[in-house]
């Protein structure tokens, strides 16, 4: 049974969220706070009191755009607590999803909040709270949130074959389609270096294990990934060839 604090500086939105949360049988208690300062005061008191105190908070359902401190600011401050509550962001803005998951959010729910979508967020929280004695697997490092038709979905990073720069965005390609995310390719390169992704061009970051062919033609190099053929810049040619040869044991 979860103990919840919902935070939103718009009272109608807060009341609607509390109504939906209290209707979920997995919620023991759901209280509201109308701003970041009040939320931090209550969370700080709950953490100091300990998990068995009646004021304890398991999860904070947190709006992002609020007067004063934003929900992202609150999450960053909570990261410094010894045992902070879990966080679910509830917002009308899909553009902060990647940042939210960098802050270890359990979920990211878009407004207007649908009962079924909120129930899924509660399920994710309940799974983590119910297994606190075991190491919690950090799914944020295995998936990347993408927006599809107003809904945030999670794409396994292992399904991504390559990423393509599109200004300050990146298009992620999988075997079944592509997804646009508001993350620069250089940021993805840093995050996914240890997952086997390599830069082959200023426009492309590829999963090394997904390369089907390496092609050489008149001194230029390209790789084939599925039906896509991607040029390798001269700057990255030698490093890529060395990586591929090392992988084959040659």
């Amino acid at each position: 049974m979860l103990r919840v604090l919902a935070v939103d500086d718009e009272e109608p939105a807060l009341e609607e969220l509390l109504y939906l949360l209290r209707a979920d049988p997995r919620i023991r208690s759901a209280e509201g706070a109308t701003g970041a300062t009040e939320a931090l005061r209550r969370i700080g008191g709950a953490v100091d009191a300990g998990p068995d105190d009646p004021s304890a908070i398991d999860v904070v359902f947190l709006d992002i755009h609020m007067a004063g401190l934003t929900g992202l600011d609150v999450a960053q401050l909570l990261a410094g607590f010894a045992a902070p509550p879990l966080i679910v962001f509830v917002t009308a803005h899909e553009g902060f999803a990647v940042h939210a998951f960098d802050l270890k959010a359990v979920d990211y729910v878009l407004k207007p909040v649908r009962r079924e979508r909120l129930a899924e967020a509660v399920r994710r929280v309940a799974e983590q709270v119910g297994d606190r004695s075991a190491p919690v697997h950090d799914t944020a490092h295995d998936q990347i949130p993408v927006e599809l038709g107003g809904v945030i979905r999670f794409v396994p990073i292992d399904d991504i074959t390559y990423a393509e720069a599109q200004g300050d965005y990146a298009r992620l390609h999988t075997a079944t389609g592509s997804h646009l995310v508001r993350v620069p390719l250089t940021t993805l390169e840093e995050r996914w270096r240890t997952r086997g992704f390599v830069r082959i061009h200023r426009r492309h970051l590829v999963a090394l294990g997904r390369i089907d062919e390496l092609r050489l033609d008149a001194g230029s190099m390209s790789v084939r990934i599925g039906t896509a053929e991607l040029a390798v810049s001269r700057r990255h040619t030698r490093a890529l060839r060395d990586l591929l040869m090392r992988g084959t044991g040659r």
Side-chain angles (χ1 to χ4, degrees):
M1 297 289 286
L2 301 173
R3 298 158 295 185
V4 175
L5 178 66
V7 187
D8 197 316
D9 62 351
E10 296 182 358
E11 290 198 25
L14 178 59
E15 290 302 319
E16 175 66 15
L17 179 57
L18 287 171
Y19 172 79
L20 292 173
L21 287 168
R22 289 166 179 163
D24 192 306
R26 294 163 294 188
I27 304 296
R28 177 192 299 180
S29 63
E31 303 299 328
T34 55
T37 302
E38 180 187 354
L40 286 169
R41 177 181 58 78
R42 294 175 66 169
I43 295 166
V47 170
D48 289 342
D52 297 325
D53 190 84
S55 67
I57 298 169
D58 296 309
V59 58
V60 181
F61 283 76
L62 186 58
D63 188 23
I64 287 183
H65 279 291
M66 296 186 291
L69 292 175
T70 69
L72 296 173
D73 294 329
V74 172
Q76 288 175 326
L77 290 169
L78 291 183
F81 284 38
L86 300 174
I87 294 174
V88 172
F89 284 104
V90 183
T91 177
H93 305 276
E94 71 272 11
F96 297 99
V98 172
H99 190 183
F101 284 97
D102 281 345
L103 293 170
K104 304 297 187 286
V106 176
D107 209 341
Y108 191 94
V109 179
L110 289 176
K111 296 179 180 179
V113 178
R114 293 182 294 108
R115 187 185 299 271
E116 298 80 6
R117 182 63 184 87
L118 188 64
E120 171 62 17
V122 171
R123 182 193 67 78
R124 293 185 180 199
V125 171
E127 283 185 353
Q128 291 204 17
V129 170
D131 199 24
R132 285 280 177 107
S133 60
V136 176
H137 186 62
D138 187 0
T139 58
H141 288 160
D142 292 336
Q143 301 172 312
I144 184 167
V146 301
E147 190 273 332
L148 290 172
V151 176
I152 298 295
R153 301 197 183 280
F154 303 90
V155 174
I157 294 172
D158 288 344
D159 288 353
I160 297 168
T161 57
Y162 69 96
E164 180 181 6
Q166 294 190 354
D168 291 333
Y169 292 71
R171 182 165 293 280
L172 310 179
H173 294 265
T174 70
T176 57
S178 68
H179 312 279
L180 192 66
V181 294
R182 187 157 59 178
V183 186
L185 197 66
T186 52
T187 300
L188 294 180
E189 180 183 10
E190 292 172 4
R191 291 178 183 172
W192 294 353
R193 185 175 289 115
T194 59
R195 302 189 67 99
F197 282 80
V198 295
R199 193 73 170 259
I200 64 167
H201 191 275
R202 63 182 178 83
R203 290 193 59 209
H204 292 122
L205 179 71
V206 305
L208 198 64
R210 295 302 191 103
I211 295 176
D212 297 310
E213 289 182 359
L214 180 67
R215 298 178 177 178
L216 297 171
D217 183 20
S220 63
M221 179 184 287
S222 63
V223 297
R224 183 178 66 80
I225 300 178
T227 60
E229 185 169 350
L230 309 174
V232 181
S233 68
R234 292 185 182 276
R235 175 184 172 189
H236 296 95
T237 294
R238 179 163 187 170
L240 177 63
R241 183 161 47 191
D242 289 347
L243 280 171
L244 289 171
M245 293 302 101
R246 193 182 310 151
T248 60
R250 295 179 183 176

